[in-house]
Amino acid sequence: MSLPAGTAPNNTDIDVRAHQGKERRHIVPRREDDRNRHVYRLLAWLLGMTFCAVVAHRQGGGYRGWVWGVLAALFFLGAMRVGSRLFLSGGRGLSVFVASVAAALLLAGALGLASSEAEPWTPTQMAVVAATVFTVIGVWLLIRQWSLGEWLAWVAPLVFTVVVSLVVASGSVLHALYADALGFTPDELDVPGMWQVLAAAKLLSFLSPALFVPAGWGIAKHIHVAFLRPGELLNVPLYVVMQVSVIGLVAVLAINSAQDAVDAVKHAARERKEPPPYFGVQPEWTCVEPTVSRATLNVQGGEVHPAHPYLFFGLTGDTVLLWNAVTDDPLKLPAGQVRLLPARDGRATCGFPARRWEAGAPVS
């Protein structure tokens, strides 16, 4: 402030600090945003050091191991350089000590030195940890900057996923994809509501990798990247591209999840092994004994051979849902024309006189 005329000039030896009882006279902390940036940089250097140390540990004592070890040491020096500047002035020794302790804890955990039962991390696990930290920080920064319109824009995919998962085809999207890949309809697979909710939660979990995109957006906005400034023409198309990528990634992960489950069931059917369940759908080996003659049996999807068991997917109304492992096609039979008996396993032999029935003999 300008002083009235004739008064003494401002003193230049005055320093104003918050009086909280925690500050030391020789330590001057940074402002909040500046301090956070230094913490993020320190964390990045420490993660880079840990990743290189994990790869060096995997490589052993060869040439590649030494190269990765040197890189880990360089990352450690970079972390110490950033860590020594956590305060605006003073406190350098304390900062270096805290950064060193953090580095030691990360290395002990990643290399399996924390306990005798702990196992060393793999480079893939380290990459997942780095991506998780990046996503958490980025999403947190993004939420701090959200306006009402941005809340609606980013929450929209979440709401869309919930609505589609719980409404489409009177069941979840995962069950619909699973049924379609097997040649059934979603209505034919009678799935309890609890499993539909769990499948919906699984579908929502597929949004986790998609959060990597908005996390990058949040970090870019936090460091004021030029093309994200208000009024830039690239904002709208980038927004649209990221929204489409989020929905697209969720769709791809959902399709892959259902297809992997279907492939596992088909493989178990061909190998005559125990089939895996999928969110409440539990196929089981069942002997199918027709109670009518072969000419009268109304079968859809192929021929029935009662000598061996089939995978049974349940009843829908008056229809029995089976899977033909020979042709990789579904079989649908009227429930009133067959008798279902549980089979010991897929390699068991059913006791029905199949030869007489296949020859057209009457059924007793």
Side-chain angles (χ1 to χ4, degrees):
M1 297 175 58
S2 59
L3 298 177
T7 57
N10 290 335
N11 293 333
T12 59
D13 59 347
I14 296 177
D15 186 15
V16 179
R17 297 192 180 106
H19 183 66
Q20 299 176 351
K22 299 180 181 179
E23 292 79 11
R24 298 183 180 181
R25 184 176 299 275
H26 64 286
I27 298 179
V28 180
R30 295 182 180 274
R31 294 180 182 272
E32 182 180 1
D33 291 341
D34 190 23
R35 181 193 62 208
N36 291 339
R37 281 194 292 269
H38 277 73
V39 171
Y40 298 151
R41 292 172 186 170
L42 174 62
L43 185 59
W45 282 101
L46 290 178
L47 287 176
M49 173 205 69
T50 309
F51 179 80
C52 293
V54 168
V55 177
H57 185 265
R58 288 281 173 176
Q59 296 293 336
Y63 170 75
R64 294 181 179 179
W66 281 103
V67 171
W68 285 102
V70 171
L71 289 176
L74 293 177
F75 271 102
F76 175 77
L77 294 177
M80 293 304 102
R81 181 174 178 273
V82 174
S84 65
R85 300 178 179 181
L86 291 180
F87 298 103
L88 189 62
S89 65
R92 180 164 297 184
L94 177 62
S95 301
V96 172
F97 174 76
V98 172
S100 300
V101 171
L105 292 176
L106 281 175
L107 288 176
L111 299 180
L113 304 177
S115 65
S116 58
E117 299 179 356
E119 296 183 358
W121 291 2
T122 64
T124 302
Q125 290 174 325
M126 278 301 306
V128 171
V129 169
T132 302
V133 172
F134 176 87
T135 302
V136 170
I137 293 176
V139 171
W140 177 69
L141 292 175
L142 182 65
I143 292 176
R144 286 182 58 191
Q145 307 168 66
W146 272 355
S147 62
L148 178 60
E150 288 173 318
W151 268 99
L152 295 176
W154 286 112
V155 175
L158 205 63
V159 176
F160 174 80
T161 306
V162 174
V163 172
V164 171
S165 178
L166 296 178
V167 175
V168 169
S170 301
S172 72
V173 171
L174 294 181
H175 286 116
L177 294 172
Y178 182 81
D180 182 71
L182 287 172
F184 302 128
T185 64
D187 293 334
E188 290 177 335
L189 292 181
D190 186 16
V191 182
M194 180 189 69
W195 285 107
Q196 293 186 18
V197 173
L198 292 177
K202 177 66 174 181
L203 190 65
L204 292 178
S205 70
F206 292 152
L207 281 172
S208 300
L211 291 177
F212 193 82
V213 177
W217 182 282
I219 292 177
K221 289 185 66 176
H222 183 72
I223 63 178
H224 305 292
V225 175
F227 60 81
L228 295 181
R229 291 173 183 170
E232 290 290 339
L233 297 178
L234 286 177
N235 279 355
V236 174
L238 283 176
Y239 231 59
V240 173
V241 169
M242 285 199 293
Q243 293 291 354
V244 172
S245 66
V246 169
I247 299 299
L249 180 57
V250 173
V252 170
L253 293 176
I255 293 173
N256 289 341
S257 173
Q259 189 61 49
D260 290 343
V262 170
D263 291 341
V265 167
K266 291 181 179 180
H267 178 74
R270 288 190 294 267
E271 299 294 328
R272 299 288 173 178
K273 297 180 179 179
E274 189 68 21
Y278 187 71
F279 291 106
V281 181
Q282 177 61 72
E284 54 186 7
W285 291 106
T286 302
C287 289
V288 181
E289 298 184 357
T291 57
V292 297
S293 64
R294 180 169 184 168
T296 309
L297 182 62
N298 183 17
V299 57
Q300 303 177 31
E303 297 182 356
V304 175
H305 300 282
H308 59 78
Y310 289 86
L311 278 182
F312 173 61
F313 282 86
L315 288 170
T316 172
D318 295 332
T319 304
V320 178
L321 303 179
L322 304 172
W323 181 257
N324 191 344
V326 178
T327 62
D328 269 354
D329 289 315
L331 283 176
K332 300 179 182 180
L333 304 170
Q337 296 183 352
V338 293
R339 182 186 300 112
L340 302 179
L341 299 173
R344 185 178 65 257
D345 53 45
R347 301 180 184 276
T349 301
C350 297
F352 186 77
R355 291 183 179 179
R356 291 182 54 197
W357 178 79
E358 291 176 354
V363 179
S364 59

